[in-house]
């Protein structure tokens, strides 16, 4: 109800947390959040993300979205720290990568890219495809 009243932009941090902690619940919530600012990226994620092809893939949605729409990265990064699972670490790393790119810190950028590659090859491929 709050998502509909406030608009999705106010809830990106909560959606990121939900994705990491309970991706199947996010999948169940999708039909009840008809906001196109959420639905369009989710549909694109479903088509483009190289994952297992199940609801657990949604745990990677925040990191993928930060890469796909860098303007949302600060909102997604405002999510409360969770269990530091791999998908959460991937988002935090993606936000760091975006910052390093803006700063032109090439050596650190290369190190972080390698770390992203080690976390998830499909996410790394999506990141490099935009570079």
């Amino acid at each position: 109800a709050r998502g509909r009243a406030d608009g999705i932009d106010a809830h990106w941090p909560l959606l990121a947390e939900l994705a990491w902690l309970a991706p199947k619940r996010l999948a169940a919530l999708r039909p009840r959040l008809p906001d196109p600012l959420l639905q369009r990226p989710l549909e694109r994620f479903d088509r483009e993300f190289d994952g297992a092809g199940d609801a657990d893939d949604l745990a990677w949605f925040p990191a993928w979205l930060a890469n796909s729409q860098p303007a949302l990265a600060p909102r997604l990064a405002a999510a409360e720290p969770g269990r530091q699972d791999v998908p959460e670490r991937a988002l935090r790393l993606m936000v760091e990568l975006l910052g390093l790119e803006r700063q032109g810190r090439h050596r650190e950028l290369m190190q972080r890219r390698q770390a992203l590659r080690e976390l998830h090859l499909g996410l790394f491929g999506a990141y490099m495809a935009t570079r």
Side-chain angles (χ1 to χ4, degrees):
R2 291 193 64 198
R4 288 182 186 182
D6 300 339
I8 205 68
D9 193 51
H11 298 286
W12 285 119
L14 292 173
L15 289 169
E17 293 171 32
L18 181 61
W20 301 323
L21 299 172
K24 288 182 174 92
R25 286 189 180 177
L26 178 57
L29 184 63
R30 285 176 73 166
R32 294 184 289 174
L33 290 173
D35 192 313
L37 294 175
L38 174 63
Q39 292 302 325
R40 284 188 203 117
L42 280 169
E43 290 165 5
R44 216 173 122 219
F45 175 80
D46 290 341
R47 285 189 314 269
E48 297 175 7
F49 185 70
D50 185 16
D54 58 22
D56 287 333
D57 281 349
L58 283 174
W60 296 96
F61 178 66
W64 178 89
L65 186 59
N67 177 61
S68 175
Q69 296 182 28
L72 288 178
R75 299 284 303 140
L76 294 164
E80 291 292 321
R83 297 180 294 220
Q84 300 298 313
D85 289 340
V86 178
E88 179 183 355
R89 291 193 331 255
L91 169 66
R92 308 267 183 225
L93 183 57
M94 187 65 69
V95 171
E96 193 175 348
L97 279 164
L98 295 170
L100 290 171
E101 287 175 353
R102 284 190 306 273
Q103 297 167 14
R105 294 165 56 186
H106 186 72
R107 187 169 52 99
E108 293 173 61
L109 182 62
M110 293 300 110
Q111 292 170 342
R112 299 311 190 287
R113 283 180 176 174
Q114 180 60 35
L116 181 62
R117 184 175 189 200
E118 291 169 5
L119 288 179
H120 194 283
L121 197 54
L123 183 60
F124 175 75
Y127 167 77
M128 291 306 293
T130 62
R131 300 308 175 273

